[in-house]
Amino acid sequence: MASKTIIDNIPEEVEVSHHNDQGCFGAFLTFPEKLLKKGYVSDIKLQDMTEFLAIERYRPWWVRPAFGKVESAIPKETQYLLWRRSDGMYGIILPLIENDIRATIEGEADGFRVVFDGAHGVFPKKAVMLFAGLGEDPYALTRWAVTAVADVLKTFHLRIEKNVPAFVDYVGWCTWDAFYTEVDEEKVLAGLQSFKKAGFVPPFLILDDGWQDTVERYLNDFTPNKKFPKGLEPLIKKAKEKYGVKIFGVWHALVGYWNGVHPASPLMKRYRTVTSENQQVIFDQKPTQRHMVHPDDIYRFYQEWYADLRQQGVDMVKVDNQSSLETFSLGQMARVSTMKNYQYALQGAAEVHFGGNLLHCMSNGSDVAYHMSAGNVWRNSDDFYPNAPDSHAFHIHTNAMNNMWSSHFCIPDWDMFQTTHHAGAFHAASRAISGGPVYVSDKATGHDIDLLKKMCTSDGRVLRCDQPALPSADRLFIDCYREPRLMKITNTNGPIGVLGLFHCYYTSEGTPVVQDSFTPNDVPYLEGTSFAVYHHQSKTLEVMKRNQARKLTLKPLEFELLTISPIKDAVAPLGLLNKMNGSRAFEWFEMSAGVFQAQVRDGGPIGFYAETAPKEIRINGKKSKGTYSKKTKLLTITAPEGAELELLLSWRIQKSEK
């Protein structure tokens, strides 16, 4: 039995349906009503496990990585489990949802258990609750497993099947850390003026919590509060016409506001509502009375609200507190179907009125993930906390590891940060290669515009990798937050590799420097045998073979970004040297018969490794010049900023690498 080679001690009454394809093999496990009613199945074992990575839901809304070497260490509410075996193979477990049952796994003394929750008195005769798989490549295995689950559940679409929302490709500003809930129209305009004075206004803006008409953490009505006396329309018009904002977004909670809708509000007369009287504490949620729009009316709720926002000029929504929906439905109705109705209503309305410009937030529960049918961006971790010293290294490490699971459902958003913060560059470097949105929460008192410009073109378009970043294979089972190892975050821009090295190790006693090594082979699926490696921080260029190792020493909150470009015909393009993810500036390029041609997204210093200087350089058809170092083999061509350009370089002699 294929499943027996992956997990052992499965109860006989559990149905096993094999799924083998693409060099991987696995099985869906269907549990009968008797076990679903029991609420758990114990003593299941992983076959030949030596170490694991778990993605656990440790708060109602957030997940984080956990590591271990024995099954008993698997944390509660684990939603993704990847492990390595002694034979070099990798195993995966994905707990699933079906009908109104949600599964997770957790360790126990003699193995692990599958836990079922969410039902409201009615259980199906049977339900598919688990997928287990085995393969040789951890990245391909995860991709294959989530794809198989999507084909069976048919409740969500994969990230690669969905459109990229427009806001993702513009640098943004969010008002949260700038003003928190004290935001008002005057402060927003002051913030935009501050950016304008500094020389750059982000084209994308989120008006965060503080604009709504609320009473005691309940939503009172759709209209903005008195801090926006004429509504949102005048503010949005000024932001777009005077400051060049292209996409204006607003924040709200999934149920309207933190505790839902106010019991005496006008909204209670327009929509059916449900009051949660259950006072049970879930995670750290304090007992309180909550009022939510009934799932049968939530479609109309969102359509009418978003139609109103669109009329005022709103282009996008950030929807928070999503995974708290279980505290609203607990004791009142089934959890999974309630979330499904809310998610499909939310995502459908965002598609109709905002062209899919939707950011899911506080939404890392699997019942959200498995209903991401149209939504394609979610916040991937807990917040950026400016005043929490231990949070910054944790933030980067957590986001990179979470991507192993979340990136298959949507584009992971690594949250805002502040450019003038002492860890601002550390956060910026991770966002630059994350493959997700880039937006800041600067106060109106100052900005590091030079840092911001390192992540985008001159017109504010993010130099964003097309794929989400992933941890390197040799970091999948290492906790770089608690062990003195450098965190390795990988990505690609076409055939060019990107490798970020981050000092994420943290101890309360005082964190030391960390020395570690890297190789070009740390970037998965990178082709080639010899590479030009450009160091963004030290601005140095070297040639490395695939498995050749280099040592690097970093202090706390330091980083290095490496562009790793395969050398072909004695040339390797590096991209814009003044950008953190400069190789993304190439829209396309090709090298043939000693001629390099490319389209570049913006001007600036464009770098190449070249064994000899080119005989001719042309920019947009006109002859140009560059500077070439015979010692370092670095060719730099400086082009004017402000527009895309066509680049042509030709060499007198073709040299093929040996």
Side-chain angles (χ1 to χ4, degrees):
M1 240 182 159
S3 62
K4 293 294 186 182
T5 68
I6 306 171
I7 55 178
D8 294 325
N9 208 30
I10 303 169
E12 290 185 0
E13 57 266 49
V14 174
E15 297 177 17
V16 178
S17 175
H18 301 295
H19 186 87
N20 305 328
D21 190 22
Q22 301 178 25
C24 302
F25 66 98
F28 286 93
L29 277 62
T30 300
F31 294 77
E33 181 181 12
K34 180 181 72 172
L35 296 180
L36 298 175
K37 283 184 174 180
K38 183 181 178 182
Y40 64 91
V41 175
S42 285
D43 299 330
I44 300 177
K45 301 181 185 301
L46 302 176
Q47 206 232 29
D48 192 28
M49 186 268 290
T50 61
E51 53 191 351
F52 70 75
L53 161 67
I55 304 298
E56 61 159 327
R57 190 175 74 128
Y58 70 107
R59 301 184 72 186
W61 333 277
W62 305 128
V63 293
R64 66 184 176 190
F67 306 84
K69 299 181 184 300
V70 293
E71 294 144 325
S72 60
I74 298 172
K76 291 183 178 181
E77 286 272 334
T78 288
Q79 301 183 147
Y80 165 92
L81 186 75
L82 178 75
W83 76 92
R84 183 155 54 189
R85 308 194 326 174
S86 61
D87 62 2
M89 298 285 282
Y90 294 86
I92 188 172
I93 289 180
L94 296 175
L96 307 179
I97 61 166
E98 187 176 342
N99 294 299
D100 274 315
I101 311 293
R102 170 180 172 266
T104 57
I105 63 173
E106 62 185 57
E108 53 186 13
D110 214 12
F112 74 93
R113 64 166 57 185
V114 185
V115 179
F116 310 114
D117 72 83
H120 185 58
V122 178
F123 291 85
K125 293 297 182 183
K126 59 183 179 179
V128 178
M129 289 281 92
L130 211 66
F131 180 81
L134 194 67
E136 296 180 351
D137 181 327
Y139 308 106
L141 174 64
T142 301
R143 183 170 59 251
W144 171 79
V146 179
T147 301
V149 168
D151 289 342
V152 168
L153 294 186
K154 300 187 185 330
T155 58
F156 70 101
H157 288 107
L158 301 171
R159 169 184 55 81
I160 59 174
E161 299 173 328
K162 296 178 285 191
N163 294 327
V164 177
F167 77 88
V168 174
D169 287 318
Y170 287 100
V171 169
W173 176 52
C174 179
T175 63
W176 179 242
D177 291 311
F179 309 116
Y180 297 111
T181 56
E182 299 304 310
V183 67
D184 59 32
E185 181 176 336
E186 186 177 320
K187 289 177 180 177
V188 174
L189 294 173
L192 291 171
Q193 182 62 31
S194 176
F195 274 108
K196 186 175 182 178
K197 184 178 179 181
F200 179 84
V201 179
F204 161 49
L205 186 153
I206 299 176
L207 174 60
D208 213 285
D209 190 2
W211 68 272
Q212 294 172 282
D213 179 6
T214 63
V215 179
E216 298 174 344
R217 294 177 70 82
Y218 297 96
L219 181 66
N220 188 55
D221 207 348
F222 290 156
T223 55
N225 60 40
K226 62 183 180 181
K227 294 184 294 182
F228 299 83
K230 296 182 180 180
L232 297 178
E233 187 173 0
L235 169 61
I236 295 173
K237 187 175 181 180
K238 289 178 184 177
K240 292 181 176 181
E241 294 181 356
K242 184 176 180 179
Y243 297 102
V245 171
K246 297 179 183 297
I247 298 176
F248 193 105
V250 297
W251 174 100
H252 69 80
L254 181 67
V255 288
Y257 203 58
W258 294 106
N259 287 331
V261 294
H262 194 272
S265 73
L267 298 174
M268 294 290 277
K269 300 175 182 178
R270 294 169 60 181
Y271 308 100
R272 291 176 59 194
T273 57
V274 178
T275 298
S276 174
E277 301 290 352
N278 195 304
Q279 296 297 292
Q280 178 181 344
V281 177
I282 300 179
F283 289 88
D284 56 358
Q285 291 277 279
K286 296 179 180 178
T288 188
Q289 193 175 65
R290 296 177 171 89
H291 310 278
M292 72 182 211
V293 174
H294 194 283
D296 290 349
D297 270 8
I298 195 62
Y299 291 87
R300 185 164 59 88
F301 175 84
Y302 276 124
Q303 288 291 339
E304 292 177 356
W305 192 5
Y306 284 7
D308 180 69
L309 290 174
R310 185 181 181 185
Q311 286 295 319
Q312 297 181 69
V314 172
D315 307 296
M316 173 267 183
V317 282
K318 171 187 174 183
V319 182
D320 221 332
N321 203 34
Q322 295 191 25
S323 288
S324 284
L325 191 64
E326 66 182 287
T327 66
F328 288 79
S329 62
L330 185 67
Q332 304 298 314
M333 55 190 64
R335 169 181 176 171
V336 176
S337 59
T338 300
M339 180 62 81
K340 178 184 72 174
N341 284 350
Y342 263 75
Q343 286 300 327
Y344 288 174
L346 167 66
Q347 294 171 46
E351 285 289 316
V352 168
H353 297 286
F354 306 128
N357 278 305
L358 165 65
L359 170 56
H360 296 259
C361 192
M362 298 178 71
S363 55
N364 293 167
S366 59
D367 51 350
V368 176
Y370 288 127
H371 289 117
M372 293 283 278
S373 181
N376 205 19
V377 188
W378 85 1
R379 264 281 305 285
N380 201 45
S381 75
D382 200 349
D383 293 8
F384 161 75
Y385 291 110
N387 301 318
D390 62 334
S391 70
H392 305 297
F394 174 83
H395 190 98
I396 306 308
H397 178 251
T398 296
N399 271 288
M401 301 308 299
N402 285 352
N403 270 25
M404 283 296 294
W405 176 63
S406 58
S407 64
H408 299 282
F409 301 97
C410 59
I411 298 168
D413 164 29
W414 292 19
D415 198 21
M416 64 196 87
F417 65 97
Q418 293 177 322
T419 60
T420 57
H421 192 273
H422 72 274
F426 185 74
H427 282 279
S430 73
R431 308 307 193 276
I433 65 171
S434 72
V438 174
Y439 58 115
V440 299
S441 53
D442 288 1
K443 296 181 182 297
T445 54
H447 319 278
D448 186 340
I449 296 299
D450 290 339
L451 178 62
L452 200 57
K453 287 184 175 181
K454 287 183 178 181
M455 293 178 284
C456 65
T457 58
S458 55
D459 63 354
R461 291 177 297 160
V462 177
L463 290 167
R464 185 178 65 85
C465 296
D466 290 334
Q467 303 296 322
L470 294 170
S472 62
D474 65 344
R475 292 299 182 265
L476 288 175
F477 306 104
I478 294 176
D479 188 345
C480 293
Y481 182 64
R482 293 182 174 86
E483 298 181 39
R485 305 291 296 275
L486 294 181
M487 183 64 207
K488 298 180 184 179
I489 302 175
T490 72
N491 216 323
T492 55
N493 293 307
I496 301 176
V498 179
L499 178 62
L501 301 164
F502 293 84
H503 187 306
C504 291
Y505 178 50
Y506 182 86
T507 65
S508 58
E509 291 78 22
T511 303
V513 298
V514 173
Q515 185 181 77
D516 213 333
S517 61
F518 67 90
T519 75
N521 205 39
D522 286 328
V523 180
Y525 313 123
L526 191 63
E527 296 183 355
T529 58
S530 185
F531 303 87
V533 180
Y534 184 76
H535 299 237
H536 174 83
Q537 288 293 85
S538 64
K539 303 188 185 310
T540 56
L541 177 64
E542 62 178 330
V543 174
M544 296 179 66
K545 297 297 183 182
R546 171 171 289 280
N547 291 306
Q548 186 177 356
R550 286 280 190 273
K551 290 185 177 179
L552 182 69
T553 301
L554 295 177
K555 297 177 182 178
L557 299 185
E558 284 189 339
F559 67 92
E560 182 60 273
L561 295 180
L562 307 173
T563 299
I564 305 177
S565 184
I567 300 173
K568 180 183 179 182
D569 294 335
V571 175
L574 303 172
L576 290 172
L577 301 180
N578 61 342
K579 307 295 183 180
M580 287 181 163
N581 188 32
S583 61
R584 183 60 185 89
F586 291 119
E587 291 285 11
W588 61 267
F589 65 85
E590 61 181 15
M591 181 76 179
S592 177
V595 177
F596 177 89
Q597 298 182 76
Q599 184 175 354
V600 189
R601 296 178 67 180
D602 202 357
I606 308 168
F608 296 82
Y609 167 86
E611 292 187 9
T612 60
K615 68 176 183 179
E616 184 179 64
I617 300 172
R618 289 183 178 270
I619 299 175
N620 292 335
K622 297 181 180 179
K623 285 189 176 182
S624 185
K625 294 181 179 180
T627 59
Y628 179 72
S629 169
K630 292 182 178 180
K631 180 180 180 181
T632 65
K633 309 296 184 183
L634 178 63
L635 169 67
T636 305
I637 302 165
T638 301
E641 293 183 350
E644 291 187 356
L645 53 97
E646 293 181 358
L647 188 64
L648 184 146
L649 294 80
S650 59
W651 275 264
R652 192 179 307 277
I653 301 173
Q654 299 176 49
K655 286 183 67 177
S656 299
E657 63 179 46
K658 298 179 180 179

